[in-house]
Amino acid sequence: MRPHALVVAGLALLHAGPGAAWLPAVRRLLPSLAGEGDPGHVALTFDDGPDPRSTPLFLDELDRLGCRATFFVLGEMLDRHPELGRSIARAGHEVAVHGWRHDNALLTRPGRVAAEMGRAARLVAAVTGTRPSWYRPPYGVLSAEALVAARWHGLRPVLWTAWGEDWTRRATPGSVLRTLEPGLRGGATLLLHDCDHTSAPGSWRSALGALAGAVARCRAAGLRVGPLGAHGVGVPGGGARPHRLPAPASFYLRPEA
């Protein structure tokens, strides 16, 4: 292979290599990235919102269950529904960054992931008054750019240890709970979706219907359920602590047309 071809291949591997963490076998080798935390705690997380059709129902159910969670929001959704972002924060939940759009980092032009991650982080801070601590890439696919950008913006990348496959047209509350069940253990980070923005229409109902059962099973096992900030990822007995910020309306940049 010619030297320039080796360089190109090396750069491509460097760019795409972190994306392998999407694979369960690789995540098991990277417990902090997967979200392994306190063995007495389970982190509950939701992706892709906020959506006025569904997110308020999740907030109501979490309130009924006396449970807090981490919501990984898309910037484009939060920009449309900032009042929902404020409602999430006022209810005591964490608001974290899922990017601006639900784009695969490995298929996005250079520079866009970093720029949109920063825009989303600024928007979260402006809407909620709290600097976000966590970043989960869309599809769980990281790139070298995403890792560098997350560090630059003060965000910690985290994926999940178990998900409910709640985004499909075939999903039901029972199927979501059965899929989650093997992963309902101490230290787990659970992934569900509070809207169908990037999923099958109405699929969020399956996640909502499974929520009480998942929390009940964790509590029956003596496990606490809560947000990532209380999960102690990579820091035994610790956790990320958010910083309060002022939230002037002009604090963030609107997305490009």
Side-chain angles (χ1 to χ4, degrees), residues 145-241:
E145 179 186 333
L147 286 174
V148 171
R151 184 176 181 85
W152 177 260
H153 293 298
L155 300 170
R156 181 166 182 170
V158 67
L159 301 179
W160 61 86
T161 64
W163 61 13
E165 295 185 6
D166 55 334
W167 59 86
T168 70
R169 195 176 302 277
R170 300 183 305 276
T172 66
S175 75
V176 171
L177 190 55
R178 287 192 298 273
T179 303
L180 276 177
E181 202 154 20
L184 299 180
R185 55 171 180 77
T189 290
L190 309 182
L191 165 60
L192 294 169
H193 296 79
D194 63 303
C195 81
D196 58 11
H197 177 60
T198 63
S199 307
S203 57
W204 58 266
R205 293 184 175 87
S206 297
L208 182 64
L211 188 53
V215 171
R217 281 163 171 73
C218 291
R219 287 175 171 167
L223 301 170
R224 293 170 286 110
V225 181
L228 279 164
H231 197 45
V233 177
V235 184
R241 296 177 180 271

Side-chain angles (χ1 to χ4, degrees), residues 32-33 133-137 142 146-147 150-151 155-159:
S32 291
L33 180 61
S133 297
W134 306 97
Y135 169 68
R136 176 178 286 155
L142 286 162
L147 286 174
R151 184 176 181 85
L155 300 170
R156 181 166 182 170
V158 67
L159 301 179

Side-chain angles (χ1 to χ4, degrees), residues 26-37 161 233:
V26 176
R27 288 203 308 279
R28 284 194 289 271
L29 300 175
L30 301 167
S32 291
L33 180 61
E36 291 281 357
T161 64
V233 177

Side-chain angles (χ1 to χ4, degrees), residues 7-19 144:
V7 171
V8 171
L11 290 173
L13 181 61
L14 179 65
H15 170 67

Side-chain angles (χ1 to χ4, degrees), residues 38-253:
D38 182 342
H41 187 269
V42 172
L44 180 59
T45 71
F46 298 94
D47 283 8
D48 293 359
D51 189 320
R53 299 171 301 165
S54 53
T55 302
L57 299 177
F58 282 83
L59 295 179
D60 288 346
E61 181 69 347
L62 289 168
D63 184 60
R64 187 184 72 81
L65 295 169
C67 190
R68 300 293 175 264
T70 301
F71 286 78
F72 284 89
V73 300
L74 290 170
E76 65 174 349
M77 296 295 284
L78 185 61
D79 192 43
R80 294 175 198 166
H81 312 293
E83 71 289 347
L84 263 182
R86 286 188 284 272
S87 294
I88 294 170
R90 280 196 301 266
H93 305 290
E94 284 186 321
V95 182
V97 175
H98 198 34
W100 192 270
R101 302 175 179 87
H102 205 277
D103 293 333
N104 187 319
L106 299 184
L107 304 177
T108 303
R109 71 173 186 268
R112 180 169 169 177
V113 168
E116 294 192 345
M117 189 189 304
R119 186 181 299 134
R122 291 192 296 272
L123 177 56
V124 169
V127 167
T128 69
T130 299
R131 190 190 309 277
S133 297
W134 306 97
Y135 169 68
R136 176 178 286 155
Y139 305 105
V141 176
L142 286 162
S143 65
E145 179 186 333
L147 286 174
V148 171
R151 184 176 181 85
W152 177 260
H153 293 298
L155 300 170
R156 181 166 182 170
V158 67
L159 301 179
W160 61 86
T161 64
W163 61 13
E165 295 185 6
D166 55 334
W167 59 86
T168 70
R169 195 176 302 277
R170 300 183 305 276
T172 66
S175 75
V176 171
L177 190 55
R178 287 192 298 273
T179 303
L180 276 177
E181 202 154 20
L184 299 180
R185 55 171 180 77
T189 290
L190 309 182
L191 165 60
L192 294 169
H193 296 79
D194 63 303
C195 81
D196 58 11
H197 177 60
T198 63
S199 307
S203 57
W204 58 266
R205 293 184 175 87
S206 297
L208 182 64
L211 188 53
V215 171
R217 281 163 171 73
C218 291
R219 287 175 171 167
L223 301 170
R224 293 170 286 110
V225 181
L228 279 164
H231 197 45
V233 177
V235 184
R241 296 177 180 271
H243 302 284
R244 300 298 299 177
L245 290 174
S250 60
F251 188 76
Y252 64 93
L253 300 178

